[in-house]
Amino acid sequence: MSSMVRGDLVSQPAGVTDLPYREEHITVGGGDKQQFFYDMNAKMEDEGRGGKKRKRDGDTAPPKPSGPCWFCLSSAEVEKHLIVSVGTHCYLALPKGGLTEDHVLILPIGHHANLVDLPEEVEQEVSKFKSALRKMYKKAGKVPVFFERNYKTQHLQIQVVPVDKDLASTVKKVFLENAAQLELDLNEIPSHVPLSQLAVQGQAYFYAETPDKEKLFGRIVKNFPLQFGREVLADTRLLDMLERVDWKACSTNKEEETEATKQFRKMFSQFDFTME
């Protein structure tokens, strides 16, 4: 690979869906180990961070996918305008067609397929991002719902959608009732039971954490509705926005996405542990 030009290294085969982040955000350093560096200031406005730089505990090459991946931060097509914050092992980014303006994704930097697949250090940083987001939403009178669909995806995407704090105790009921109506396998699991005991490697599943930290888990066999998590949160008893279930119907242009990311980054800045 050392003899290949950069264009060959980052090229995507035909038919691959573009990743919502751009390649110029990434630089690759040489040496004995390949290292990836993420320039959060490239062609970006300073968001009032006082020039502080993110701490790094030692850069190591993240795991690599066997083929093109939409969400590996070192992938070719990286639209940096959607990235909110980059840690050592994970990053935050706004989704395309978010359900709400404060809907965000927690994603591992390296290639990890699901929560069961996460190394301990990545899992710990996921928890740090969750904690920071809880604090941010609390200030706005909201509480987050976290969910993952490990089905027809190849890279872990933890969807984070907040609801009004007064609806916190309603979330579990709405999830379970929607699942029952669709005849889906979804049940509450004890808080102390790890996912690794429920889903072996390769097992498709849906997983959610309610604002009250209740855990819901269901094995997926086939024909699982891809927008199930959004359908539940868009329910009239929660966000009441059924017209926004399909993310494609919520898509905006790049200028609007850039402004939305800027506003989210500003809102998150005082809780962003990566800038300490």
Side-chain angles (χ1 to χ4, degrees):
M1 291 181 64
S2 61
S3 63
M4 297 177 68
V5 298
R6 184 178 181 86
D8 293 333
L9 288 170
V10 302
S11 62
Q12 296 272 47
V16 175
T17 303
D18 287 342
L19 168 75
Y21 311 106
R22 291 202 178 281
E23 175 238 335
E24 62 260 29
H25 191 64
I26 311 299
T27 58
V28 182
D32 295 334
K33 288 187 177 181
Q34 188 179 54
Q35 296 180 314
F36 297 89
F37 301 92
Y38 314 100
D39 182 6
M40 291 300 294
N41 296 314
K43 298 183 182 179
M44 288 184 177
E45 294 181 10
D46 183 2
E47 303 298 339
R49 294 176 176 172
K52 291 189 294 183
K53 294 185 178 180
R54 181 169 48 84
K55 287 184 179 179
R56 307 188 79 88
D57 297 326
D59 294 305
T60 56
K64 298 178 182 179
S66 57
C69 177
W70 299 350
F71 297 104
C72 286
L73 197 53
S74 59
S75 293
E77 297 301 321
V78 177
E79 291 189 21
K80 65 181 183 296
H81 70 283
L82 291 175
I83 298 174
V84 174
S85 174
V86 181
T88 304
H89 305 289
C90 306
Y91 69 103
L92 289 186
L94 295 194
K96 289 281 192 180
L99 189 56
T100 63
E101 63 184 10
D102 43 12
H103 177 180
V104 72
L105 304 175
I106 304 175
L107 304 133
I109 289 173
H111 190 69
H112 300 288
N114 50 58
L115 284 169
V116 178
D117 185 46
L118 289 186
E120 182 178 359
E121 65 274 11
V122 183
E123 187 175 359
Q124 288 174 350
E125 191 162 89
V126 166
S127 296
K128 291 179 73 173
F129 271 117
K130 284 182 177 180
S131 179
L133 289 167
R134 286 190 183 99
K135 293 174 183 176
M136 183 194 76
Y137 292 131
K138 182 178 180 180
K139 187 175 180 180
K142 300 180 181 182
V143 286
V145 178
F146 303 97
F147 67 92
E148 175 203 4
R149 187 194 77 236
N150 181 37
Y151 175 66
K152 294 193 175 181
T153 61
Q154 61 170 328
H155 190 112
L156 170 62
Q157 304 159 53
I158 302 174
Q159 307 275 344
V160 190
V161 181
V163 299
D164 189 276
K165 65 179 180 180
D166 295 333
L167 297 173
S169 60
T170 307
V171 173
K172 180 178 74 171
K173 178 182 179 181
V174 178
F175 261 110
L176 294 177
E177 288 184 357
N178 273 269
Q181 185 177 2
L182 296 170
E183 298 184 345
L184 302 177
D185 173 32
L186 189 68
N187 298 282
E188 183 174 3
I189 60 174
S191 59
H192 65 276
V193 175
L195 274 179
S196 57
Q197 289 188 14
L198 301 170
V200 298
Q201 283 292 346
Q203 170 71 59
Y205 65 82
F206 180 88
Y207 173 73
E209 293 179 20
T210 75
D212 292 332
K213 298 188 178 181
E214 299 152 316
K215 296 182 178 181
L216 306 175
F217 174 84
R219 294 179 179 86
I220 296 175
V221 180
K222 61 179 180 178
N223 301 326
F224 186 85
L226 299 182
Q227 304 295 337
F228 176 67
R230 289 180 68 116
E231 289 177 16
V232 171
L233 288 160
D235 189 286
T236 54
R237 291 166 288 178
L238 294 175
L239 294 175
D240 191 16
M241 47 179 60
L242 295 175
E243 72 282 359
R244 295 185 66 83
V245 169
D246 184 356
W247 71 269
K248 293 179 182 178
C250 306
S251 296
T252 56
N253 60 43
K254 183 175 180 179
E255 290 71 23
E256 292 172 313
E257 290 174 342
T258 300
E259 180 60 26
T261 305
K262 179 179 177 181
Q263 292 303 317
F264 194 103
R265 193 182 298 124
K266 181 178 180 181
M267 182 170 59
F268 184 64
S269 61
Q270 64 179 294
F271 308 98
D272 190 353
F273 63 90
T274 72
M275 304 305 297
E276 295 175 354

